[in-house]
């Protein structure tokens, strides 16, 4: 046990060093919690009699969820473990004279505890100072507080053990993204992450209560889609000869056989209006084909990732559907009108993320020095960054958005 405690202590002390990241996380969780409180307040004002919980209890649930988010969110996994499995570096860890399961368990547990320790106290203090019913309420008795800590301790162990199962499943896939998204989407929804379990329909709630004993912290995790991107090297045929190369080849009688880019040159109209819209579209098309071939090489991972993307937004749709089974409207918006707004927003994000998501990873491009390579290419920098990342798995979200859009248009009388 001493060696595993050493792994735990090392990772725990390392996690306590990221105070700036903890501060930004606290601000994000405050904003997210405030939005959830305002959302439940809007539903409560529309039909108070249909609310299955007291508004004060619901707000307490939200703030407890945000305070202990690092302990119970299923999507917070060790990216280092996934990278070691994909790259094969896990072979070095298997050679160590320690059990890899127990070592990863200790690392993951320490990582969660260190993040929660930095974030929970400020959130709890501010939430307790908020006026009723938007703040936190005290526990009913010391015994209830004791059982709360007991269930919280057991819940952390279950969450880490579930993440270990996801790590093990990734040994059998090329990309971990599909397995992660499918597992996280299902767990987050059925644990009450999107909406508390009392808001579920009675039949669904009866099934969920049979699956697990509901604890005060059930569903303290919130779904966040971390994205993963496997970069593809861009080949030299994407780059046409620069102006200086054209001058040299023109001086050699137009001989372009020895050009490193294969002699690809622009037509005269495009030379005058460089780079030109038609040329930009052809260049984007080459980026598109490269990403498409990369996806086609791993069909099973692509199918799993697409299913995960679909389930991620489908669980949100189920949450909206369950809420409107209790409430006929919220702030004047009916179910069809809300679904129409949701589908339009989802469609816009799906299109952007599927075909032009390069700027989401622009920070990592700069940190890793990849932007220097982009700057020396004789092509538009914005287009190169924009097309450097495409996620065709977002088409799963797009399919759902189209179905909801057609239903919302046909039923909302817009």
């Amino acid at each position: 046990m001493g060696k595993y405690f050493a792994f735990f202590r090392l990772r725990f002390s390392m996690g306590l060093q990221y105070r700036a990241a903890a501060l930004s996380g606290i601000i994000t969780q405050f904003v997210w919690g405030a939005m959830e409180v305002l959302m439940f307040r809007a539903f409560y004002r529309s039909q108070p009699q249909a609310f299955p919980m007291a508004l004060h209890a619901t707000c307490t649930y939200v703030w407890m969820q945000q305070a202990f988010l690092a302990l119970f969110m299923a999507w917070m996994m060790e990216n280092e473990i996934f990278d070691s499995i994909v790259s094969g570096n896990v072979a070095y860890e298997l050679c160590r004279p320690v059990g890899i399961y127990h070592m990863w368990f200790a690392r993951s547990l320490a990582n969660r505890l260190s993040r929660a320790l930095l974030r929970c106290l400020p959130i709890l203090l501010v939430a307790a100072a908020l006026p009723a019913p938007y703040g936190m309420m005290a526990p009913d008795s010391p015994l209830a507080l004791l059982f709360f800590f007991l269930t919280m301790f057991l819940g952390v162990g279950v969450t880490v053990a579930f993440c270990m199962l996801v790590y093990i499943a990734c040994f059998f896939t090329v990309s971990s993204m599909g397995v992660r998204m499918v597992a996280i989407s299902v767990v987050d929804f059925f644990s009450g992450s999107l909406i508390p379990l009392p808001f579920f329909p009675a039949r669904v709630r009866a099934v969920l209560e049979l699956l697990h004993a509901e604890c005060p912290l059930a569903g303290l995790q919130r779904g966040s889609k971390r994205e993963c991107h496997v970069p593809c090297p861009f080949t030299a045929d994407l780059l046409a000869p620069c102006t200086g190369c054209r001058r040299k080849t023109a001086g050699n009688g137009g001989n372009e056989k020895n050009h490193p880019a294969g002699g690809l040159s622009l037509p005269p109209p495009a030379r005058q209006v460089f780079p030109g819209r038609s040329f930009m579209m052809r260049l984007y098309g080459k980026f598109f084909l490269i990403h498409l071939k990369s996806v086609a090489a791993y069909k099973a991972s692509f199918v799993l990732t697409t299913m995960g993307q679909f389930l991620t937004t489908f669980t949100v749709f189920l949450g909206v559907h369950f809420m409107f089974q209790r409430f006929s409207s919220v702030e004047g918006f009916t179910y069809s009108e809300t679904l129409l707004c949701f589908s339009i927003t989802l469609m816009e994000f799906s299109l952007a993320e599927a075909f032009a998501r390069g700027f989401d990873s622009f920070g990592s491009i700069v940190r890793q020095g990849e932007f220097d390579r982009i700057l020396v290419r004789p092509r538009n920098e914005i287009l190169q960054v924009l097309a450097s990342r495409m996620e065709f798995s977002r088409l799963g979200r797009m399919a759902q958005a189209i179905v909801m859009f057609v239903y919302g248009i046909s039923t909302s009388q817009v």
Side-chain angles (χ1 to χ4, degrees), residues 112-176:
R112 291 178 178 272
L113 289 176
S114 61
R115 292 191 180 188
L117 185 63
L118 290 173
R119 302 184 184 190
C120 68
L121 189 59
I123 297 177
L124 292 176
L125 291 176
V126 175
L130 292 176
Y134 306 112
M136 285 181 52
M137 59 183 184
D140 293 337
S141 63
L143 183 62
L145 183 62
L146 177 64
F147 279 113
F148 169 80
F149 285 115
L150 176 62
T151 53
M152 185 170 63
F153 173 77
L154 297 176
V156 174
V158 172
T159 304
V160 177
F162 170 78
C163 294
M164 297 300 300
L165 294 178
V166 178
Y167 297 147
I168 294 172
C170 290
F171 278 94
F172 304 95
T173 60
V174 177
S175 174
S176 62

Side-chain angles (χ1 to χ4, degrees), residues 69-267:
L69 195 68
L71 292 179
F72 300 99
M73 55 183 177
W75 49 266
M76 197 199 76
M77 301 185 186
E78 295 280 343
N79 288 325
E80 295 180 7
I81 295 178
F82 288 117
D83 294 339
S84 66
I85 295 173
V86 174
S87 62
N89 292 331
V90 68
Y92 296 103
E93 298 189 5
L94 290 172
C95 295
R96 294 178 179 176
V98 294
I100 191 170
Y101 181 93
H102 301 90
M103 181 181 67
W104 284 356
F105 192 97
R107 285 174 48 181
S108 300
L109 181 62
N111 190 29
R112 291 178 178 272
L113 289 176
S114 61
R115 292 191 180 188
L117 185 63
L118 290 173
R119 302 184 184 190
C120 68
L121 189 59
I123 297 177
L124 292 176
L125 291 176
V126 175
L130 292 176
Y134 306 112
M136 285 181 52
M137 59 183 184
D140 293 337
S141 63
L143 183 62
L145 183 62
L146 177 64
F147 279 113
F148 169 80
F149 285 115
L150 176 62
T151 53
M152 185 170 63
F153 173 77
L154 297 176
V156 174
V158 172
T159 304
V160 177
F162 170 78
C163 294
M164 297 300 300
L165 294 178
V166 178
Y167 297 147
I168 294 172
C170 290
F171 278 94
F172 304 95
T173 60
V174 177
S175 174
S176 62
M177 203 60 207
V179 177
R180 293 172 66 179
M181 296 195 68
V182 172
I184 291 171
S185 300
V186 175
V187 169
D188 281 358
F189 179 73
F190 289 109
S191 61
S193 171
L194 297 177
I195 57 174
L197 296 183
F199 288 87
F200 281 56
R203 294 181 179 179
V204 179
R205 190 170 66 250
V207 175
L208 295 180
E209 289 173 355
L210 291 176
L211 293 177
H212 59 83
E214 183 181 356
C215 70
L217 288 180
L220 288 192
Q221 59 265 42
R222 169 171 58 84
S224 175
K225 305 81 197 153
R226 300 193 174 210
E227 310 304 334
C228 175
H229 174 60
V230 180
C232 301
F234 299 112
T235 55
D237 61 349
L238 289 176
L239 302 179
C242 60
T243 306
C245 294
R246 282 197 216 98
R247 290 174 181 172
K248 292 179 181 179
T249 54
N252 294 330
N255 186 10
E256 297 178 345
K257 292 182 180 179
N258 296 325
H259 195 277
L264 181 63
S265 60
L266 298 177

Side-chain angles (χ1 to χ4, degrees), residues 300-364:
S301 297
F302 172 71
V303 171
L304 282 175
T305 308
T306 305
M307 290 175 55
Q309 293 286 354
F310 177 83
L311 287 175
T312 299
T313 52
F314 184 70
T315 53
V316 178
F317 161 73
L318 287 180
V320 174
H321 180 70
F322 290 163
M323 292 294 288
F324 275 95
Q325 281 188 334
R326 292 181 173 272
F327 307 94
S328 58
S329 64
V330 53
E331 298 292 338
F333 285 90
T334 63
Y335 172 65
S336 300
E337 294 170 346
T338 304
L339 211 60
L340 181 61
C341 297
F342 178 34
S343 63
I344 293 174
T345 305
L346 181 60
M347 194 180 305
E348 293 172 349
F349 275 93
S350 301
L351 281 173
E353 293 172 351
F355 302 110
R357 205 184 179 186
F359 277 100
D360 273 3
S361 56
F362 183 69
S364 62

